[in-house]
Amino acid sequence: MKDSDLSTTAARDAARIVWFKRYPAKQTLIAFLLALLATTAFSIDPAPVSSNAVLAIDPKASGMLYVCYEVLLSFAGHTDAVMLLALACLLTLPFRYVFFGRGDTWRPSIILPSLFFAICMVFGRSYDLTDSAEIVLGDKARIICAWIGGAGWMLLAIVAFYLAFECLDWLSSRRIPFSEAHFGRIWRVAHAGLSKHPFARPFLVLMIVWAPTLIASLPGLFMGDTGAQIRQWFNYPNGTSDYLRLLNPNVLLNGHHPVVHTAIIGSCVQLGLSLFNSANAGLAIYTCTQFVITAACMAYSISSLRKLGVSLPVRGAILLFFAFMPMFSNYAALLTKDVLFADAFLVLLVQTVKLVACGLPRRDANAERAGEQRPVLFARHDWLLLALGAMGSTFLRNGGLVF
């Protein structure tokens, strides 16, 4: 064997020794117990245990012994115990790394969202079963189960958040070089589509890729509220005016749905009836308009990322996600208030981020290398878009005013 092979083998053996010294058996055992506690969050049943189940085990049980039986019977049975034990074994290594590694596990950026997640899961399960917090704030056994389940969910969230932050730190320190020298034609195509024409090219891509969905769904995709809104505009009886206490019984238009959106979709149908004597033509006018607006808002968000200094690969991945995730093309052709509201809220979000980023120091390395002038982050027209996004979020969704 060569000297280099011997040195490599010795280095590997030393690394194994360091690894086992870094995590003693006691820490591994503690990590396994924490992982076992975390798995109870999946298995514990928050619903009350029947007295017959407790008395079947111990007919004389009472007091704290009875409470202990209730808590134990809330855990998974023997049929699920093997799977939970296997899951705990799989979680032992990440738990050991997170809680006994070198990192700061207990920083607020990890603890606070984990605590919030655990509270939401515990109270959410109670409201899911009883529409109240009765299970969490009920008898002693339910409170104990809630605390055990909450601790399990919080441990899982801590590990998840910690590893997510570690992954982001790793990605930021090991960026894959993406340039013409490394990727050639792919880089040139991406650069031409996302940098030279940062809005027009993504907009065109989305329109072309989404077009089959639009054509297949014309005059548009209906959902439960669509018909009611159209009937409201023409003052026909509908599902909402039948049970609401109207200010004027002769005026069936009401605020159950956003009045502005009802007026928009109703006006399009009325326009179709006037010009083409067809309600479907009016619906097609609305659908095509919404389709173009949605694609434009998506393209604008991608073009804004360039001004904010987001790299070309990330912008390309986002464009592909918007283009080929069926949810977006389906929503673009869906006749509902939520689509235009989401478009307006997206513009409001982008404009708010750009407005806040105006006061932050920026350095666009790609623009500097290419000799380009750094784009203005918040121009005059951005104020108009900010106002449109705010007004759209306010009037296109009930309760949107809070945004």
Side-chain angles (χ1 to χ4, degrees):
M1 184 178 293
K2 298 179 180 180
D3 294 340
S4 59
D5 296 335
L6 290 174
S7 60
T8 302
T9 304
R12 289 176 180 173
D13 293 339
R16 292 192 187 98
I17 294 173
V18 171
W19 174 262
F20 285 108
K21 284 185 177 180
R22 183 181 176 184
Y23 297 107
K26 181 174 67 175
Q27 293 182 353
T28 303
L29 178 60
I30 295 174
F32 172 74
L33 294 177
L34 291 176
L36 196 60
L37 174 61
T39 58
T40 60
F42 297 111
S43 62
I44 197 167
D45 186 1
V49 177
S50 65
S51 58
N52 294 332
V54 177
L55 297 178
I57 300 174
D58 188 353
K60 298 181 180 180
S62 62
M64 287 304 301
L65 179 61
Y66 187 90
V67 173
C68 291
Y69 279 126
E70 283 188 301
V71 173
L72 291 175
L73 288 173
S74 299
F75 289 92
H78 64 278
T79 55
D80 298 326
V82 176
M83 294 298 298
L84 293 174
L85 185 63
L87 179 60
C89 292
L90 292 175
L91 292 175
T92 299
L93 290 179
F95 268 66
R96 186 178 66 177
Y97 173 75
V98 170
F99 291 105
F100 298 104
R102 299 178 181 177
D104 184 10
T105 308
W106 306 105
R107 58 183 183 267
S109 60
I110 294 177
I111 296 300
L112 293 181
S114 301
L115 178 61
F116 180 73
F117 174 77
I119 293 174
C120 289
M121 290 301 299
V122 171
F123 278 89
R125 295 184 71 179
S126 177
Y127 274 89
D128 185 43
L129 293 174
T130 65
D131 289 331
S132 67
E134 177 184 354
I135 293 179
V136 180
L137 306 176
D139 54 24
K140 294 180 181 179
R142 295 306 97 202
I143 294 176
I144 294 174
C145 289
W147 276 96
I148 295 174
W153 287 116
M154 186 167 180
L155 288 173
L156 287 171
I158 289 174
V159 173
F161 280 116
Y162 184 91
L163 294 178
F165 291 154
E166 284 264 304
C167 180
L168 292 176
D169 291 339
W170 183 86
L171 290 174
S172 64
S173 62
R174 292 170 173 81
R175 293 182 177 179
I176 300 174
F178 188 77
S179 63
E180 187 173 6
H182 292 87
F183 288 88
R185 182 177 298 178
I186 297 177
W187 184 91
R188 289 193 294 272
V189 171
H191 179 73
L194 295 172
S195 295
K196 290 185 178 180
H197 303 281
F199 172 78
R201 294 289 175 81
F203 175 70
L204 186 61
V205 169
L206 292 176
M207 291 287 289
I208 293 174
V209 176
W210 290 358
T213 302
L214 174 65
I215 296 171
S217 60
L218 282 177
L221 298 175
F222 268 56
M223 49 93 65
D225 297 335
T226 308
Q229 285 186 270
I230 296 173
R231 287 192 292 271
Q232 277 189 32
W233 181 253
F234 289 95
N235 209 42
Y236 292 155
N238 56 87
T240 57
S241 61
D242 293 342
Y243 68 88
L244 291 176
R245 188 175 181 180
L246 302 174
L247 297 176
N248 185 351
N250 296 322
V251 179
L252 302 182
L253 179 64
N254 56 75
H256 181 82
H257 304 293
V259 178
V260 172
H261 184 264
T262 300
I264 294 173
I265 191 171
S267 298
C268 289
V269 174
Q270 193 168 4
L271 180 63
L273 290 171
S274 301
L275 297 179
F276 307 101
N277 195 29
S278 172
N280 284 337
L283 291 172
I285 293 172
Y286 174 87
T287 303
C288 292
T289 304
Q290 176 182 271
F291 187 86
V292 173
I293 292 174
T294 303
C297 290
M298 297 289 187
Y300 178 71
S301 66
I302 296 173
S303 66
S304 298
L305 292 177
R306 176 177 176 270
K307 291 185 177 182
L308 293 169
V310 177
S311 64
L312 186 61
V314 175
R315 286 182 282 134
I318 293 173
L319 175 59
L320 293 176
F321 179 72
F322 283 158
F324 294 104
M325 174 61 71
M327 176 183 67
F328 296 106
S329 59
N330 290 338
Y331 266 107
L334 180 64
L335 300 168
T336 178
K337 53 192 176 285
D338 300 301
V339 178
L340 290 180
F341 168 77
D343 295 338
F345 188 67
L346 176 61
V347 173
L348 175 62
L349 176 64
V350 171
Q351 295 305 100
T352 305
V353 171
K354 290 169 65 176
L355 185 61
V356 172
C358 278
L360 302 177
R362 295 182 298 114
R363 181 175 179 272
D364 194 339
N366 295 328
E368 290 178 3
R369 284 195 297 266
E372 301 175 0
Q373 185 178 1
R374 191 176 67 176
V376 178
L377 193 57
F378 209 84
R380 290 182 180 180
H381 68 273
D382 287 306
W383 291 105
L384 176 61
L385 291 176
L386 178 64
L388 291 176
M391 288 189 295
S393 299
T394 302
F395 293 110
L396 292 172
R397 197 76 168 87
N398 290 341
L401 180 62
V402 296
F403 295 113

